[in-house]
Amino acid sequence: MFVVRKHSLQPKSKRRKRSSLSSFNDFVKRLQNNAARFKKHLTTLRDKTRNKLACLNDEKKKKKKLHLVLDLDHTLIHTVLVSDLSEREKYLLEEADSRQDLWRCNKDSPYEFIIKLRPFLHEFLLEANKLFTMHVYTMGNYCYAQDVLKLIDPDKVYFGNRVITREASPCNKTLDLLVADTRRVVIVDDTISVWPHHKRNLLQITKYIYFKVDGTKWESYAEGKKDESRKSGSLANVLKFLEDVHKRFEEDLDSKDLRLLIPYPCRQCCF
């Protein structure tokens, strides 16, 4: 029996060339696949490194996060009972509804009062919020503080629930009630005596007195229909100082104590 074998009609040289070309193509494909895997691996490593660095930066920022504690009365606002307005100040009762810096509270009540916002207050809060975690600390009661905050921070953008009132601190003010490192806290208050243990953190601001105070002979801002300067007033000056302190603290990578940047004894009454 004869077996007939099939033979390629192509010459052996051509078959070898095709086989070599196929091997070369396979080799190129393997290189391309390996390159793609390597590129993917590098991308993964890069992303992981970036995420790790971002986490480290966030952690560093948290460690260096600074806090700003603000008083209310005579620091950010001035409040007076309507019954205590002088005759020359009663025109304000008609203007309160049309002015953005003047508010009447508890209308038709024996304890109706009127609140005047200090000039530059909204700009101050907006800019300070970019640099600090802000807190309110007042010797007023909780209900009064909430009335004020509804006017200056209705959406809780600046202070959230970080509010300490006289119910928690009836006699003096203390940073022990804050969840913060005292070395990274600045206080802005018009009264030094209420901070017996934290004067190193304190920037004393001049008292804001818009309405007539009993016993004074001089004309009030309200009586003279004028006010503290917005551009060169106390809050504007305090903001400039706070921005400078924050910048210096951030630039000093080894800095741990913000209080070292605050003059002592405190002589910032010019604010």
Side-chain angles (χ1 to χ4, degrees):
M1 180 180 225
F2 295 96
V3 178
V4 179
R5 294 183 179 179
K6 296 182 179 179
H7 294 279
S8 172
L9 297 177
Q10 293 181 344
K12 289 183 178 181
S13 60
K14 289 187 177 180
R15 290 204 303 270
R16 281 196 298 271
K17 286 182 180 179
R18 174 164 290 187
S19 177
S20 299
L21 183 61
S22 177
S23 298
F24 178 75
N25 288 337
D26 291 341
F27 176 71
V28 171
K29 285 182 180 179
R30 285 197 298 272
L31 281 179
Q32 290 174 337
N33 290 336
N34 288 335
R37 284 195 291 270
F38 183 68
K39 184 178 180 181
K40 185 177 180 180
H41 179 66
L42 284 179
T43 302
T44 302
L45 283 177
R46 182 191 62 193
D47 292 342
K48 285 182 178 179
T49 302
R50 283 180 176 175
N51 290 336
K52 191 172 182 179
L53 288 173
C55 290
L56 288 173
N57 287 333
D58 289 342
E59 192 65 27
K60 185 177 179 181
K61 287 180 181 179
K62 286 179 182 178
K63 287 181 179 179
K64 292 178 75 75
K65 186 68 176 180
L66 305 182
H67 296 260
L68 178 62
V69 177
L70 297 170
D71 174 48
L72 288 181
D73 292 293
H74 299 299
T75 296
L76 302 183
I77 60 171
H78 187 196
T79 301
V80 69
L81 288 171
V82 167
S83 58
D84 289 338
L85 290 173
S86 70
E87 286 299 320
R88 292 174 58 195
E89 293 175 333
K90 289 184 178 178
Y91 72 92
L92 295 170
L93 299 176
E94 302 298 326
E95 294 186 358
D97 292 335
S98 60
R99 287 175 55 171
Q100 297 299 315
D101 63 340
L102 202 64
W103 304 83
R104 291 177 66 177
C105 301
N106 292 345
K107 284 186 179 182
D108 303 321
S109 162
Y111 301 102
E112 180 182 1
F113 57 93
I114 188 166
I115 298 173
K116 172 65 173 65
L117 307 187
R118 195 167 198 162
F120 197 71
L121 174 58
H122 291 300
E123 295 91 336
F124 175 86
L125 295 177
L126 179 65
E127 295 304 317
N129 188 52
K130 298 175 183 177
L131 307 176
F132 299 88
T133 296
M134 297 197 295
H135 309 253
V136 161
Y137 203 141
T138 176
M139 299 302 281
N141 63 38
Y142 178 80
C143 291
Y144 169 69
Q146 292 304 312
D147 284 338
V148 175
L149 290 173
K150 285 177 185 176
L151 305 179
I152 65 175
D153 188 22
D155 299 319
K156 296 187 176 183
V157 173
Y158 302 129
F159 303 107
N161 294 315
R162 297 180 298 277
V163 182
I164 301 174
T165 61
R166 120 176 131 201
E167 286 84 353
S169 182
C171 299
N172 293 313
K173 297 180 179 181
T174 173
L175 294 181
D176 295 341
L177 297 180
L178 262 72
V179 182
D181 185 340
T182 56
R183 297 173 301 173
R184 292 177 172 81
V185 179
V186 184
I187 303 164
V188 177
D189 201 320
D190 66 281
T191 307
I192 296 179
S193 60
V194 295
W195 293 98
H197 305 298
H198 300 288
K199 290 183 174 64
R200 288 297 286 110
N201 301 79
L202 180 65
L203 288 178
Q204 186 184 16
I205 190 171
T206 51
K207 284 184 179 292
Y208 179 56
I209 301 175
Y210 182 76
F211 305 104
K212 187 79 170 181
V213 177
D214 286 342
T216 58
K217 297 180 180 180
W218 58 82
E219 180 182 72
S220 69
Y221 277 140
E223 289 175 331
K225 297 186 178 182
K226 54 189 178 182
D227 208 345
E228 188 177 88
S229 171
R230 293 175 62 84
K231 293 184 178 180
S232 59
S234 296
L235 282 180
N237 290 331
V238 168
L239 179 62
K240 291 175 185 175
F241 185 83
L242 290 174
E243 289 173 336
D244 179 62
V245 166
H246 186 278
K247 181 180 179 181
R248 288 158 60 195
F249 186 80
E250 288 293 303
E251 288 175 348
D252 186 354
L253 298 179
D254 297 324
S255 179
K256 295 180 180 180
D257 198 337
L258 180 65
R259 297 172 296 183
L260 299 176
L261 302 177
I262 300 175
Y264 186 81
C266 181
R267 299 188 185 279
Q268 304 305 322
C269 292
C270 57
F271 284 149

